[in-house]
Amino acid sequence: MNTELKIAYFSMEIGLSNDIPTYSGGLGVLAGDTIKSGADLKIPLVAVTLLSKKGFFQQDIDNEGRQIEHPVEWDPFRLMTRQTKRVVVKIEGRDVSIQAWCYMVKSVTGGEVAVLYLDTDVPENTTEDREITAVLYGGDERYRLKQEVVLGIGGVRMLHALGYQIKKYHMNEGHASFLTLELLLRHKRDIESVWDERWVWDIDTVKDLCVFTTHTPIEAGHDRFSYDLVKKVLGEIIPLTLLKKLGGEQSLNMTLLALNLSNYINGVAKKHGEVSKALFPGYEINAITNGVHSFTWTCENFQRLYDKYIHGWANEPELFVRAEIIPDEELWTAHRCAKKDLCDFVKNTTGVELNPDVLTIGFARRFTSYKRADLIFSDLERLMKIGKKEKFQIVFAGKAHPKDLPGKDIIKRIIDFSKTIDNNIKIVFLKNYQMSMALKLVSGVDVWLNTPLRPREASGTSGMKAAHNGVINFSVLDGWWIEGHIEGVTGWSIGPKPTESSLTNTTDTADSDDLYHKLENIIIPTYYHDKNQWIKIMKNSIGKIAYYFNCHRMMRRYVTDAYLR
Ligand SMILES: *Cc1c(COP(=O)(O)O)cnc(C)c1O
């Protein structure tokens, strides 16, 4: 039925919209954006992920500022069609049956991409097995391993069962690396009594089929499983000696497995490519810098503005190069409308009244230590002194992984600050960050703040979303911002130049010092006293950042560099 050769895009999480809460943060939203651009550009793509029927989690915050997690309730029946074909994988020696739900991403261009959500919640499975695809990044190591077996091995089997012909398998992060084992099995040469196992396992053919994108510059961020556990859960589907050769002697490193079985490997920003090369010496690692789906991440006020002045922008974001022709007043009006929308939203959800005339800073993303959401509070006295001269307000949002205690602690600290800081600086924390809230934030603030600890931000994408709405970036030089930043032209940097690749020699104080200095002496004065200059930088955000840091450009790079190789 599917005769066209397709690219199979595998991702543990995919964020397409609020209605399908099967993502936790940037990785999933990037996957969703990739699929949408794939549909717009009519790239022959099919995507595979897990159903995550209980989502990641819904975030609540108690009176003490502690994060409370609830399972998300959502109904795939409403949005997706269940496929009748089922496939089976062996887990702990049991047959685990997998079904798939199909969601069609349809573009106005006529292109479409099927997304297959794998689901083990079928009557023939044990109660425990029915839960394997329930919670994204939930449970323990064993649970994660089972999920990855379903995704990688179950995913390839499902594609075959549904009749897809696949010419490349693209692994979005190492969670999907088990697909390589299924491909090894499928391309196993049927030779009896060979003296060398290299003749049996056609590694080159599998490598030709595989593309791997790594997203994690931190050693601890890569999934690792003990061979003991792998043996218990997966059994020995390929000989252990071979698996160790491909995935590491000590433990099974999912990144290493993907690296050893892919002919095209890339990091997600130029700097991240370099960092990954240092982390995994001996591999040819390329770089394709991330982008965001322009239409998804442009608020309605700006969509109308672009429709009027930059016709065709959504499917050809290169046209943003003409941002200069948008009249200043109309740009400012569109921004004011977006800001008012955000203020209304904040009022409705928290009761806090923000002042739309006041410089507003936004910070929203996953809360985890390296993102340093609380860097701006490192010297409270200095911050309050700046706020006394001229006002500003900050909006925060973000979830911490349920097991990330330091991440949860940062949420609590920020909520404590919001209660105790003086009236010149208003601080709000919005609970349950998700995609529609993200759009409100990246379009409704004036400045988008990002303060990761270098070089841990592989790329980052929320700043690109901000730029699509004329919102100005103020960020540490890491990830994509190294490529997008021109000081005082496209936004502002925080802290020293990104010379180091090591993970040790950054100091918080050098960064916070620079942050306070620029906030006080450049950003606040420009906002209140040099509107022309401010609007110029807004236009540069569109014309020099959104122009390049979009998913259409990224997808074309994947096609020419990775898929057509
Ligand atoms: C874009 C997005 C992210 C990624 O934010 P970064 O600042 O790039 O880490 C996370 N969560 C949601 C809901 C998003 O829309």
Side-chain angles (χ1 to χ4, degrees), residues 23 25-26 29 297 365 371 433-435 438 460-462 465:
Y23 62 93
V29 175
W297 294 110
R365 45 186 55 84
K371 301 251 191 190
Y433 188 49
Q434 26 76 333
M435 289 179 69
T461 51
S462 62
K465 301 171 191 169

Side-chain angles (χ1 to χ4, degrees), residues 13 20-26 51-59 67 69-74 133-139 144 366-367 398-404 432-434:
E13 49 172 311
I20 310 177
T22 61
Y23 62 93
S24 85
L51 184 65
S52 303
K53 212 182 212 160
K54 294 180 184 164
F56 181 46
F57 66 87
Q58 189 176 324
Q59 180 193 51
Q67 171 176 291
E69 299 110 21
H70 304 289
V72 189
E73 297 293 335
W74 70 288
T133 54
V135 186
L136 178 64
Y137 306 133
R144 173 73 66 90
R366 282 184 310 118
F367 270 57
K399 295 173 177 175
H401 185 279
K403 288 190 177 152
D404 182 357
N432 204 31
Y433 188 49
Q434 26 76 333

Side-chain angles (χ1 to χ4, degrees), residues 18-22 51-55 72-81 101 103:
N18 272 7
D19 300 351
I20 310 177
T22 61
L51 184 65
S52 303
K53 212 182 212 160
K54 294 180 184 164
V72 189
E73 297 293 335
W74 70 288
D75 185 4
F77 281 104
R78 236 171 21 91
L79 303 158
M80 304 174 177
T81 46
W101 297 80
Y103 179 80

Side-chain angles (χ1 to χ4, degrees), residues 13 15 18 23-30 33 290 292 297 363-366 370-371 398-399 432-439 442 448-450 457 459-465 480:
E13 49 172 311
N18 272 7
Y23 62 93
S24 85
L27 180 73
V29 175
L30 175 84
D33 283 7
N290 281 342
V292 298
W297 294 110
F363 185 107
R365 45 186 55 84
R366 282 184 310 118
Y370 87 83
K371 301 251 191 190
K399 295 173 177 175
N432 204 31
Y433 188 49
Q434 26 76 333
M435 289 179 69
S436 67
M437 188 194 290
L439 179 59
V442 297
W448 193 250
L449 179 69
N450 192 13
E457 184 85 314
S459 165
T461 51
S462 62
M464 306 173 187
K465 301 171 191 169
W480 79 277

Side-chain angles (χ1 to χ4, degrees), residues 298-318:
T298 301
C299 71
E300 281 180 23
N301 297 293
F302 273 74
Q303 286 182 0
R304 277 195 293 274
L305 194 64
Y306 297 152
D307 284 344
K308 185 166 168 192
Y309 290 102
I310 309 178
H311 188 71
W313 62 278
N315 206 32
E316 214 175 332
E318 298 93 321

Side-chain angles (χ1 to χ4, degrees), residues 316-353:
E316 214 175 332
E318 298 93 321
L319 293 171
F320 283 136
V321 74
R322 293 172 53 71
E324 200 62 47
I325 65 167
I326 302 170
D328 286 6
E329 320 76 65
E330 288 188 51
L331 183 80
W332 189 248
T333 306
H335 176 62
R336 288 288 301 198
C337 290
K339 198 169 176 183
K340 186 171 177 304
D341 289 347
L342 175 65
C343 292
D344 290 347
F345 178 77
V346 170
K347 173 98 197 294
N348 292 338
T349 51
T350 65
V352 177
E353 256 181 270

Side-chain angles (χ1 to χ4, degrees), residues 439-502:
L439 179 59
K440 284 201 171 71
L441 278 166
V442 297
S443 59
V445 299
D446 300 297
V447 171
W448 193 250
L449 179 69
N450 192 13
T451 50
L453 188 58
R454 276 175 305 269
R456 288 164 173 77
E457 184 85 314
S459 165
T461 51
S462 62
M464 306 173 187
K465 301 171 191 169
H468 273 77
N469 298 281
V471 166
I472 304 177
N473 279 277
F474 181 32
S475 293
V476 164
L477 284 170
D478 201 9
W480 79 277
W481 186 230
I482 298 170
E483 296 160 57
H485 158 265
I486 307 171
E487 186 67 15
V489 176
T490 58
W492 301 280
S493 65
I494 297 169
K497 286 238 164 63
T499 44
E500 78 286 347
S501 292
S502 86

